[in-house]
Amino acid sequence: MAKDQDKTILKMTVNGEPVEVAVNPAWTLLRVIREELGLTGTKEGCGIGDCGACTVLLEGKTVNSCLVLALQAEGKEVRTVEGLGTEENLDPLQESFIEYGAVQCGFCTPGMLISARALLDKNPHPTTEEIKVAISGNLCRCTGYVKIIQAIEIVAQEG
Amino acid sequence: MKKRGIGYGSMFYGLGYGFSRTDIASATLEISQDGSIIARSGEVDYGQGSDTVFCQIIAEELGVDYSAIKLITADTDVTPDSGPTSASRLTFVGGNAFIKTSRSLKKILNGVAEDILGASDLVFREGMVFSRSAPEKSISFKKLAGRAYARGVPAVVTEWYNNTTQDVDPETGQGDAYATYCWATQMAEVEVDTETGRVEVLRIVAVTDVGKALNPLNCEAQIEGGVVQGLGYALEEEIKEEGGYVKTGTLGEYMIPTSLDIPTIEVHLLEVTEPKGPYGAKGVGEPALIPTPPAVLNAVRDALGLRIHKLPANLENVYHLINGAEAGN
Amino acid sequence: MQSYEYYAPRSLPDALEYLAENAKNCRIIAGGTDLIPALRNEDIHPAFLLNIMEIAEVGGISETEQTVRIGAITTFNDLAESGLIRKEFPILSEMALSVGGPQTRNRGTIGGNIASAAPAADGLPVFLSLDAEVELSSRRGKRNLPLNEAIAKAWTPAWGNDELITAIRIKKLPSGTRTAFYKLARRQAMARSRMTISLILRRDPAGIIEELRFVPGSVMPVPRRMEEIEKLLTGKVPTDELLDQAARAVGEEMVKVTGIRWSTGYKKPVLGNLFRIVLSQLITAG
Amino acid sequence: MNEPKFQCIGRPLPRVDALDKVLGRAVYAGDISFPHMLYGKILRAGVPHAVIEEIDISAAEAMEGVACVLTARDIPGINRYGIAFPDQKVLAEDKVISIADPVAAVAAESPELARDAVKAIRVKYRALPVVTNPHEALAEGAPALHPEGNLFQYVKIRKGDVAEGFQQADIILEDTFQTQVQDHTYLETESGIARMDKQGNLILQTVSQGPFRDRAQVAAVCGLPQNRVRVIRATVGGAFGGKDDVSVQVHVALLAQATGRPVRLVFTREESLTTQTKRHAIEIWSRWGVTKDGKLCAMEGKVYGDTGAYAGLGPFVVKKCGIYLCGPYYIPAVKVDIYTTYTNNIIKSAYRGFGVLQASVVHEAMMDELALKCGIHPLKFRIMNALDVGLDTGTGQVMKEDCGIKATLKKMREVVMNDPTLKTHCEGLR
């Protein structure tokens, strides 16, 4: 059993809120987000950086949270899908994903939204090719990407 | 050198289980005193969108808002058995079950409304129930539900749709195995790099007979997804087994298409009505994917004048095909 | 279950001290894109883990008149976005953008790419084609080592386990030099290279090749410059016949190193094809 | 009153599940946790065919934080499951026939501990010869993987007189194709969480394509009547046929039953790729006859499907491949023989397309080759031979008004003919 004396206190900011959590140095950021903080919107699809389902923003940049040790996030800012929008105040990308049919099974959706958000924060009016590149680290098996790309394009045009 | 080719793939697909395998769906509707609706089905929406279509069907029949329906699915203590999610059967079998259920419930409510409004030509629409000839004779769906409850009429209805077919002759395989068939044709345009064996799919045109597109956005999305899954199969995806061991254990080795691997995809929905289908609808899940690999492989054949016999048409198989060593690994 | 001590110093001396003390059982983590899967699979069991991502001296891209220094924790994305790199070494920008996906480019570092010494690493062959040097630091001091001497065999750097790769140094290229990077993979993103071509080319006004450097990637256990091919073409005008001859020789050279494997039937001719295509494009590009 | 025919049907409405999914609040099985929850892990054979000489679980059981280690003798009900044919052992007894065969199941206080415990189990195997394709499986003297032999199913399709049909043909072509194994690659791996309630009912929240089918299998293994087992589907992250068969369900249920504590079991991606159901590799030979003016007159085929170590839905898949080998075309004389065999490969079962995909690769290839020989445009050739009202399929089903193949082909013809970039391609199409 992971003994508490093995654990280190990790301080970081998650979705704007400072958090302190005791972590084992072997844990990944993904594990801490999901199991310790209960933010299960971030998904694990492979655990080794091959699928992008666990994408979060670390200091504003997309990372596979399965490929970051929790302690590497010390003092840093993390943003997950839960920090993107609320039911009352959806991120325009969330609205667009709903309206234009970009969601099917939904398992890639949180990571996909995070990658799209990172793109638009940096480049509000990307080309279609730039959108494809931005989500090229996020696998989707249901949609064939077409409606996802379209949903992002629409926000980019309006944005 | 880059060589271009065009190919077609057509398919048909028997919907449901066929061959006398049990193919049933049940559906339950329960109306609350305030007119809000709980629907129950044993079917699982694993991402394809059946929950939405079921809500649309109920809304269509009862004239209520589809997004306000609470649909509970696939809980063996709570929902009736509706059979598994497979064989492109959900819209057809589950949808028919919900049509039956909705119509039974509507019949009950209609009786109450006729009595209250003193009219028999009632329309259920946009949350209201009114007389077609005298629209001022009306009552809200919500109020009607409360009045029906007060009279003690049944508020729960369960119906059953049986799509089980006959079996075929065991000696010849001949017979009416399926209730209906789905149809689709796709066209692929590809470019083959003869110096590397790389096949790039430039464009897919997908024509699918969906019977009736209950939700065209959903149909398109299913087809686009199916096409890309089919592309993966045609070009790259392969679980390698050697001596009983599996050699492809990561998504870095087993590679499905990314957003940068997709071609232009044009979707055309055709509606050749199926009289037994819900509003004429058939299934779309499998017909979306099946024509893509043959279309792509035929396009490669068209480009090269040579045919792949051992799938997939990956770098090595295509290169060796061009250079006369197809049997190579 | 993994159990190790984790240390994330902010200063290089602290890091080098820690490394020297625990050299035997210490692993260095930067972006973690290779190391974390290895930890997860329990391929490695370090007793100490040294995170160098918080050390400023190990990052940054800077230039002198003659050279460019790229800090070891420079990520592929940093590399792709650097104006200095785009100007001096567009081949590095192209390579950086071909690596993994956006998430891995945001994490993966060039130091890690070199230190992992994976046969399919994309950075390594490009840096080799640029005749890069690695800057190694330890409690004992600092030294520069030509990259082609820095990797002994696949997966194994040739430097001491108390040494930390702190930067890559590359001499600027003479004006008129052209470069090209090409990656053949099974898909367009998040794909390990099937083969890569890194080319550096300079010709005189008459079209004679003055200098050619060529490193194929993902075909040999340790990538290296194919000097035999470079020699074959240097000092000559690249005619079609000469290019075809060189393309065939590329495959032969590869087989000399690798021997015949299951993939040779494919890689041998295709590597030559790619070499010829990429070099021809470089020649005709202006 | 001019009202449209439909109010809600036929409109591109947003999905009812999309809001929860974009907010990250849709609950998948791996997202669920309960207090005092344990983590499950399965030890798999790792060898394709072997006799088990010994299983030693003592070291694993002795580990601190390991709640239970189950082997075959700990199963309260039957040690069998299978979606259509119960030919799979929940936990291996005396032998294993695939690398994926579960040998022991562990529940522990953390995922890492469960993994360590599985590693601590020692199993002694004696290797047996391996069969890896249908021909090896059917060869004389091949080791029998199941008591009834390696040929799970043989099906015949016979329509009309094939010999006569080929006599009418001016052109006869034959060819063999080999398709590969495909993984479903849903982004969510197989997962589930099981617990007992205070009344002794077993509650299982899991990925599923058919919760009632899962319930029947779990109840039988746990030795409970079906009404004491409750299977609830969590949000499912894609399936495509790959979550039709039982994956985590029976094992996670057994672990919860044995420990009385909630147990979560989530497969790693590697486990999903190397042990779970896949699309069948099928070898298909076929011979086609056509008149010189382009009318199909006969087709003959042989289909060899490798369903791996267990049936899954394989017999239906492979049968469907043979049944659809004619494609959506009218052929008066048909003869197809369909073989489904066991091998020591991992299990193959349902996958979107269900055998018809493999058939379509073949019938569409042959249609193109025949069209070429006849000098007829491939699209036109398809239209000429397409099924239509009154014609029957290869299995003798007469088409009614819902026969849509010609409509799709003609629509395709319209699309390509209206495309100026395809002018040369359309020569001879009209």
Short mmCIF file of all heavy atoms in Angstrom, two decimals, chain B residues 73-108:
data_model
loop_
_atom_site.label_atom_id
_atom_site.label_comp_id
_atom_site.label_asym_id
_atom_site.label_seq_id
_atom_site.Cartn_x
_atom_site.Cartn_y
_atom_site.Cartn_z
N THR B 73 -31.72 4.32 -19.90
CA THR B 73 -31.45 3.15 -20.73
C THR B 73 -30.60 2.13 -20.00
O THR B 73 -29.77 2.48 -19.15
CB THR B 73 -30.71 3.53 -22.03
OG1 THR B 73 -29.47 4.14 -21.70
CG2 THR B 73 -31.53 4.47 -22.89
N ALA B 74 -30.80 0.89 -20.38
CA ALA B 74 -29.89 -0.20 -20.06
C ALA B 74 -29.54 -0.32 -18.58
O ALA B 74 -28.39 -0.24 -18.18
CB ALA B 74 -28.62 -0.07 -20.90
N ASP B 75 -30.55 -0.49 -17.78
CA ASP B 75 -30.37 -0.80 -16.35
C ASP B 75 -31.31 -1.97 -16.09
O ASP B 75 -32.53 -1.81 -16.11
CB ASP B 75 -30.74 0.43 -15.52
CG ASP B 75 -30.70 0.16 -14.02
OD1 ASP B 75 -30.75 -1.03 -13.61
OD2 ASP B 75 -30.63 1.13 -13.26
N THR B 76 -30.75 -3.13 -15.87
CA THR B 76 -31.59 -4.34 -15.88
C THR B 76 -32.64 -4.37 -14.77
O THR B 76 -33.58 -5.13 -14.85
CB THR B 76 -30.72 -5.62 -15.78
OG1 THR B 76 -29.93 -5.54 -14.57
CG2 THR B 76 -29.81 -5.77 -16.98
N ASP B 77 -32.46 -3.55 -13.73
CA ASP B 77 -33.50 -3.47 -12.70
C ASP B 77 -34.61 -2.51 -13.06
O ASP B 77 -35.67 -2.54 -12.45
CB ASP B 77 -32.88 -3.00 -11.36
CG ASP B 77 -32.45 -4.17 -10.49
OD1 ASP B 77 -32.33 -5.29 -11.02
OD2 ASP B 77 -32.22 -3.96 -9.28
N VAL B 78 -34.35 -1.64 -13.98
CA VAL B 78 -35.23 -0.49 -14.20
C VAL B 78 -35.84 -0.49 -15.59
O VAL B 78 -36.97 -0.07 -15.79
CB VAL B 78 -34.43 0.82 -13.98
CG1 VAL B 78 -35.26 2.04 -14.33
CG2 VAL B 78 -33.94 0.90 -12.53
N THR B 79 -35.06 -0.93 -16.57
CA THR B 79 -35.54 -0.85 -17.95
C THR B 79 -35.90 -2.24 -18.46
O THR B 79 -35.36 -3.24 -17.98
CB THR B 79 -34.44 -0.27 -18.87
OG1 THR B 79 -33.34 -1.18 -18.91
CG2 THR B 79 -33.96 1.08 -18.38
N PRO B 80 -36.79 -2.30 -19.43
CA PRO B 80 -37.11 -3.61 -20.02
C PRO B 80 -35.99 -4.05 -20.95
O PRO B 80 -35.16 -3.25 -21.37
CB PRO B 80 -38.39 -3.32 -20.80
CG PRO B 80 -38.28 -1.87 -21.17
CD PRO B 80 -37.54 -1.20 -20.05
N ASP B 81 -35.97 -5.32 -21.27
CA ASP B 81 -34.97 -5.88 -22.19
C ASP B 81 -35.29 -5.41 -23.62
O ASP B 81 -36.40 -5.58 -24.09
CB ASP B 81 -35.01 -7.41 -22.11
CG ASP B 81 -33.86 -8.06 -22.87
OD1 ASP B 81 -33.13 -7.35 -23.58
OD2 ASP B 81 -33.69 -9.29 -22.73
N SER B 82 -34.32 -4.81 -24.24
CA SER B 82 -34.53 -4.38 -25.63
C SER B 82 -33.51 -4.99 -26.57
O SER B 82 -33.35 -4.54 -27.70
CB SER B 82 -34.44 -2.85 -25.71
OG SER B 82 -35.28 -2.26 -24.75
N GLY B 83 -32.81 -5.99 -26.08
CA GLY B 83 -31.79 -6.62 -26.92
C GLY B 83 -30.55 -5.76 -26.98
O GLY B 83 -30.54 -4.61 -26.56
N PRO B 84 -29.47 -6.31 -27.49
CA PRO B 84 -28.19 -5.59 -27.52
C PRO B 84 -28.12 -4.52 -28.61
O PRO B 84 -28.92 -4.51 -29.54
CB PRO B 84 -27.16 -6.68 -27.81
CG PRO B 84 -27.89 -7.97 -27.62
CD PRO B 84 -29.33 -7.70 -27.92
N THR B 85 -27.12 -3.66 -28.47
CA THR B 85 -26.81 -2.67 -29.49
C THR B 85 -25.89 -3.30 -30.50
O THR B 85 -24.69 -3.42 -30.27
CB THR B 85 -26.11 -1.46 -28.86
OG1 THR B 85 -26.97 -0.92 -27.86
CG2 THR B 85 -25.83 -0.39 -29.90
N SER B 86 -26.45 -3.77 -31.59
CA SER B 86 -25.63 -4.37 -32.64
C SER B 86 -26.47 -4.53 -33.89
O SER B 86 -27.67 -4.24 -33.88
CB SER B 86 -25.06 -5.72 -32.17
OG SER B 86 -26.07 -6.54 -31.66
N ALA B 87 -25.81 -4.98 -34.95
CA ALA B 87 -26.50 -5.31 -36.21
C ALA B 87 -27.27 -4.12 -36.79
O ALA B 87 -28.26 -4.31 -37.48
CB ALA B 87 -27.43 -6.52 -36.02
N SER B 88 -26.82 -2.91 -36.51
CA SER B 88 -27.47 -1.69 -37.04
C SER B 88 -28.98 -1.71 -36.77
O SER B 88 -29.76 -1.23 -37.58
CB SER B 88 -27.19 -1.53 -38.54
OG SER B 88 -25.82 -1.40 -38.78
N ARG B 89 -29.39 -2.26 -35.62
CA ARG B 89 -30.79 -2.55 -35.39
C ARG B 89 -31.51 -1.54 -34.53
O ARG B 89 -32.75 -1.58 -34.39
CB ARG B 89 -30.93 -3.94 -34.73
CG ARG B 89 -30.29 -4.01 -33.34
CD ARG B 89 -30.34 -5.41 -32.76
NE ARG B 89 -31.64 -5.80 -32.28
CZ ARG B 89 -32.13 -5.46 -31.09
NH1 ARG B 89 -31.43 -4.70 -30.26
NH2 ARG B 89 -33.34 -5.85 -30.73
N LEU B 90 -30.78 -0.62 -33.87
CA LEU B 90 -31.41 0.17 -32.84
C LEU B 90 -32.53 1.06 -33.33
O LEU B 90 -33.62 1.05 -32.77
CB LEU B 90 -30.36 1.01 -32.09
CG LEU B 90 -30.12 0.44 -30.71
CD1 LEU B 90 -29.45 -0.89 -30.82
CD2 LEU B 90 -29.39 1.39 -29.83
N THR B 91 -32.24 1.84 -34.37
CA THR B 91 -33.27 2.75 -34.87
C THR B 91 -34.48 1.95 -35.33
O THR B 91 -35.62 2.31 -35.04
CB THR B 91 -32.69 3.59 -36.03
OG1 THR B 91 -31.66 4.41 -35.50
CG2 THR B 91 -33.76 4.44 -36.66
N PHE B 92 -34.22 0.85 -36.01
CA PHE B 92 -35.30 0.06 -36.59
C PHE B 92 -36.11 -0.65 -35.51
O PHE B 92 -37.32 -0.45 -35.37
CB PHE B 92 -34.71 -0.96 -37.57
CG PHE B 92 -35.72 -1.66 -38.43
CD1 PHE B 92 -36.10 -1.12 -39.65
CD2 PHE B 92 -36.29 -2.86 -38.03
CE1 PHE B 92 -37.02 -1.77 -40.46
CE2 PHE B 92 -37.23 -3.51 -38.83
CZ PHE B 92 -37.59 -2.97 -40.04
N VAL B 93 -35.46 -1.45 -34.71
CA VAL B 93 -36.19 -2.30 -33.75
C VAL B 93 -36.59 -1.47 -32.52
O VAL B 93 -37.76 -1.46 -32.12
CB VAL B 93 -35.34 -3.53 -33.35
CG1 VAL B 93 -36.17 -4.50 -32.52
CG2 VAL B 93 -34.81 -4.24 -34.60
N GLY B 94 -35.62 -0.77 -31.94
CA GLY B 94 -35.92 0.05 -30.77
C GLY B 94 -36.83 1.22 -31.13
O GLY B 94 -37.73 1.60 -30.37
N GLY B 95 -36.59 1.79 -32.31
CA GLY B 95 -37.43 2.91 -32.75
C GLY B 95 -38.87 2.48 -32.93
O GLY B 95 -39.80 3.17 -32.52
N ASN B 96 -39.07 1.31 -33.53
CA ASN B 96 -40.44 0.80 -33.69
C ASN B 96 -41.10 0.55 -32.34
O ASN B 96 -42.30 0.79 -32.17
CB ASN B 96 -40.43 -0.48 -34.52
CG ASN B 96 -40.57 -0.20 -36.01
OD1 ASN B 96 -41.25 0.76 -36.39
ND2 ASN B 96 -39.92 -0.99 -36.84
N ALA B 97 -40.31 0.08 -31.38
CA ALA B 97 -40.87 -0.15 -30.05
C ALA B 97 -41.35 1.17 -29.45
O ALA B 97 -42.42 1.24 -28.84
CB ALA B 97 -39.83 -0.81 -29.14
N PHE B 98 -40.57 2.22 -29.64
CA PHE B 98 -40.97 3.52 -29.08
C PHE B 98 -42.15 4.13 -29.84
O PHE B 98 -42.97 4.83 -29.25
CB PHE B 98 -39.80 4.50 -29.03
CG PHE B 98 -39.09 4.44 -27.70
CD1 PHE B 98 -37.77 4.05 -27.62
CD2 PHE B 98 -39.77 4.77 -26.53
CE1 PHE B 98 -37.12 3.98 -26.38
CE2 PHE B 98 -39.13 4.71 -25.30
CZ PHE B 98 -37.80 4.31 -25.21
N ILE B 99 -42.24 3.85 -31.13
CA ILE B 99 -43.43 4.33 -31.85
C ILE B 99 -44.67 3.65 -31.28
O ILE B 99 -45.67 4.31 -30.97
CB ILE B 99 -43.30 4.05 -33.37
CG1 ILE B 99 -42.26 4.99 -33.97
CG2 ILE B 99 -44.65 4.22 -34.05
CD1 ILE B 99 -42.11 4.86 -35.48
N LYS B 100 -44.57 2.35 -31.08
CA LYS B 100 -45.74 1.62 -30.53
C LYS B 100 -46.10 2.15 -29.15
O LYS B 100 -47.27 2.39 -28.85
CB LYS B 100 -45.42 0.12 -30.44
CG LYS B 100 -45.52 -0.61 -31.78
CD LYS B 100 -45.14 -2.09 -31.66
CE LYS B 100 -46.28 -2.95 -31.12
NZ LYS B 100 -45.89 -4.40 -31.14
N THR B 101 -45.08 2.32 -28.32
CA THR B 101 -45.33 2.79 -26.96
C THR B 101 -45.95 4.18 -26.96
O THR B 101 -46.92 4.45 -26.25
CB THR B 101 -44.00 2.84 -26.18
OG1 THR B 101 -43.28 1.65 -26.43
CG2 THR B 101 -44.24 2.96 -24.70
N SER B 102 -45.36 5.05 -27.77
CA SER B 102 -45.85 6.44 -27.81
C SER B 102 -47.30 6.47 -28.29
O SER B 102 -48.12 7.23 -27.76
CB SER B 102 -44.99 7.27 -28.76
OG SER B 102 -43.65 7.21 -28.36
N ARG B 103 -47.57 5.64 -29.27
CA ARG B 103 -48.94 5.67 -29.82
C ARG B 103 -49.94 5.10 -28.82
O ARG B 103 -51.07 5.57 -28.73
CB ARG B 103 -48.99 4.93 -31.16
CG ARG B 103 -48.29 5.78 -32.23
CD ARG B 103 -48.28 5.17 -33.61
NE ARG B 103 -47.49 6.06 -34.48
CZ ARG B 103 -47.05 5.74 -35.68
NH1 ARG B 103 -47.34 4.55 -36.20
NH2 ARG B 103 -46.36 6.60 -36.39
N SER B 104 -49.51 4.10 -28.06
CA SER B 104 -50.42 3.55 -27.04
C SER B 104 -50.71 4.60 -25.97
O SER B 104 -51.85 4.77 -25.53
CB SER B 104 -49.80 2.32 -26.37
OG SER B 104 -49.69 1.29 -27.30
N LEU B 105 -49.65 5.30 -25.56
CA LEU B 105 -49.84 6.33 -24.53
C LEU B 105 -50.71 7.46 -25.07
O LEU B 105 -51.60 7.97 -24.39
CB LEU B 105 -48.47 6.87 -24.07
CG LEU B 105 -48.53 7.95 -22.99
CD1 LEU B 105 -49.10 7.39 -21.69
CD2 LEU B 105 -47.14 8.53 -22.72
N LYS B 106 -50.42 7.80 -26.32
CA LYS B 106 -51.19 8.89 -26.93
C LYS B 106 -52.67 8.54 -27.02
O LYS B 106 -53.54 9.39 -26.80
CB LYS B 106 -50.63 9.17 -28.32
CG LYS B 106 -51.26 10.36 -29.02
CD LYS B 106 -50.53 10.63 -30.33
CE LYS B 106 -51.21 11.70 -31.14
NZ LYS B 106 -50.48 11.96 -32.38
N LYS B 107 -52.93 7.28 -27.31
CA LYS B 107 -54.31 6.83 -27.43
C LYS B 107 -55.05 7.04 -26.10
O LYS B 107 -56.19 7.53 -26.06
CB LYS B 107 -54.33 5.34 -27.82
CG LYS B 107 -55.62 4.88 -28.42
CD LYS B 107 -55.46 3.47 -28.99
CE LYS B 107 -56.85 2.84 -29.14
NZ LYS B 107 -56.73 1.40 -29.39
N ILE B 108 -54.36 6.71 -25.03
CA ILE B 108 -54.95 6.89 -23.70
C ILE B 108 -55.22 8.38 -23.45
O ILE B 108 -56.33 8.78 -23.06
CB ILE B 108 -54.00 6.32 -22.62
CG1 ILE B 108 -53.92 4.80 -22.76
CG2 ILE B 108 -54.49 6.71 -21.22
CD1 ILE B 108 -52.79 4.17 -21.97
#
